[in-house]
């Protein structure tokens, strides 16, 4: 890192309010590739390198949980060649990064409808979760085949089944009951949502969990997003007045 990057990291750490949980919509891989007359998968490949960079930045800043939107349920409707490239990239990411993630103390989990993945991708996913289990420095959640409405429908289905089985009564169904049946049950809600590439949309990402998150949208395309951009987003977050619907004291 350059001196000024160190200064920025020092400044945000000194300020003291590092967001415990950061969620990121990694957008703009296709436009990054298009701007260089490259095929779209080249943008995803460059996006994979940015994931490594941001995991390192998160570790440096002292973030506890990073939740990254890597592949949405809607992405299954992309051309088969792009889906294949993304799935190959997922396996490549796991093969390349597993040892380093384990050594860095990063515990990786995958959130989403993983049954739609190929058997070999499912095996790779399971092995990365097992290899990195117990990592205590950062929880890295990769949302794959993920859609927030489907996640909420799944939670409703799980609750209905428990009511039917007599383990729950309808009066037990409150916010905590729903939250416990989301993929994110074990982590606090994100404090900060970052979206790259300048789009102001949630795109069916963590609709429940982002209720009180601060939003930060940057025009930077995901493959160009570095830890310095992450630190800038954190610095911006530190200027916010989070009221959670109350008044400032
Ligand atoms: C959005 O860009 C990005 C995706 C659909 C895929 C995200 C994937 C990665 C960052 C790389 C893989 C990561 C892992 C962890 C294996 P877009 O294609 O929608 O871009 P566009 O809006 O410019 O077309």
């Amino acid at each position: 890192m350059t001196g000024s990057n160190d200064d920025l990291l020092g400044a945000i750490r000194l300020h003291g309010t590092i967001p415990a949980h950061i969620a990121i919509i990694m957008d703009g891989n296709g436009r990054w590739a298009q701007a260089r007359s490259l095929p779209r998968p080249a943008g995803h490949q460059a996006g994979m390198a940015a994931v490594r960079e941001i995991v390192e930045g998160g570790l440096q800043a002292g973030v506890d949980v990073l939740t990254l939107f890597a592949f949405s349920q809607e992405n299954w409707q992309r051309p088969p060649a792009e889906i294949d490239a993304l799935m190959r990239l997922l396996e490549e990411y796991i093969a390349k990064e597993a040892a380093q993630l384990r050594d860095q103390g990063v515990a990786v989990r995958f959130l989403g409808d993983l049954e739609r993945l190929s058997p070999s991708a499912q095996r790779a996913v399971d092995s990365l979760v097992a290899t990195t289990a117990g990592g205590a420095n950062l929880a890295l959640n990769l949302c794959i085949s993920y859609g927030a409405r489907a996640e909420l429908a799944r939670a409703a289905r799980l609750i209905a089944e428990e009511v039917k089985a007599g383990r729950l009564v309808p009066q037990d169904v409150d916010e905590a009951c729903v939250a416990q049946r989301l993929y994110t049950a074990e982590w606090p809600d994100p404090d900060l949502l970052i979206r790259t590439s300048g789009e102001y949309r949630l795109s069916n990402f963590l609709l429940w969990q982002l209720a009180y998150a601060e939003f930060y949208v940057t025009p930077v395309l995901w493959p160009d997003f570095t830890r310095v951009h992450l630190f800038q987003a954190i610095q911006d977050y530190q200027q916010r007045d989070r009221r959670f619907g109350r008044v400032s004291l």
Side-chain angles (χ1 to χ4, degrees):
M1 277 207 303
T2 67
S4 66
N5 298 346
D6 279 336
D7 291 348
L8 183 53
L9 179 61
I12 60 169
R13 290 187 65 108
L14 203 65
H15 196 282
T17 50
I18 299 294
H21 185 171
I22 300 181
I24 308 184
I25 301 177
M26 310 184 287
D27 197 10
N29 294 351
R31 276 163 284 167
W32 184 93
Q34 199 177 20
R36 289 161 181 75
S37 303
L38 295 169
R40 292 178 59 83
H44 298 314
Q45 183 87 39
M48 188 172 89
V51 171
R52 167 187 274 230
E53 164 77 8
I54 292 318
V55 166
E56 289 176 2
L59 284 163
Q60 278 184 309
V63 173
D64 296 330
V65 189
L66 258 184
T67 299
L68 307 182
F69 203 5
F71 190 86
S72 71
Q73 284 209 323
E74 293 72 26
N75 289 154
W76 288 114
Q77 287 153 37
R78 291 195 175 192
E82 184 170 345
I83 294 175
D84 283 354
L86 275 164
M87 291 298 138
R88 270 200 306 277
L89 209 56
L90 174 63
E91 292 189 47
E92 186 185 320
Y93 174 80
I94 292 171
K96 265 194 188 160
E97 305 288 319
Q100 178 168 330
L101 289 165
R102 185 199 54 220
D103 295 347
Q104 289 170 324
V106 177
V108 185
R109 300 284 286 275
F110 290 84
L111 317 186
D113 181 8
L114 304 177
E115 288 180 6
R116 291 186 73 176
L117 300 181
S118 69
S120 75
Q122 285 186 35
R123 278 196 298 276
V125 158
D126 290 344
S127 93
L128 183 61
V129 173
T131 303
T132 61
N137 295 331
L138 176 74
L140 174 63
N141 297 324
L142 297 174
C143 298
I144 306 262
S145 189
Y146 173 86
R149 287 183 175 181
E151 179 187 33
L152 286 164
R154 174 180 172 274
R157 199 162 52 246
L158 293 173
I159 291 169
E161 281 164 5
E162 288 178 64
V163 170
K164 191 174 167 201
R167 292 194 299 274
L168 271 182
V169 293
Q171 289 71 20
D172 295 332
V173 182
D174 55 11
E175 291 185 19
C177 173
V178 175
Q180 280 157 19
R181 283 150 186 88
L182 300 177
Y183 295 125
T184 49
E186 57 195 278
W187 301 285
D189 285 343
D191 304 290
L192 172 64
L193 170 74
I194 299 172
R195 181 162 188 151
T196 59
S197 92
E199 308 283 357
Y200 288 77
R201 277 193 297 278
L202 271 184
S203 299
N204 200 16
F205 187 47
L206 302 177
L207 296 181
W208 174 283
Q209 299 89 335
L210 292 172
Y212 288 103
E214 297 294 326
F215 284 18
Y216 180 87
V217 177
T218 168
V220 175
L221 303 177
W222 176 252
D224 293 327
F225 193 79
T226 64
R227 72 190 74 192
V228 176
H229 297 113
L230 178 72
F231 300 157
Q232 285 168 348
I234 293 173
Q235 194 169 46
D236 191 273
Y237 166 88
Q238 290 177 334
Q239 321 296 321
R240 308 283 178 94
D241 176 21
R242 301 189 79 194
R243 292 190 297 277
F244 300 95
R246 299 186 291 262
V247 292
S248 294
L249 296 175

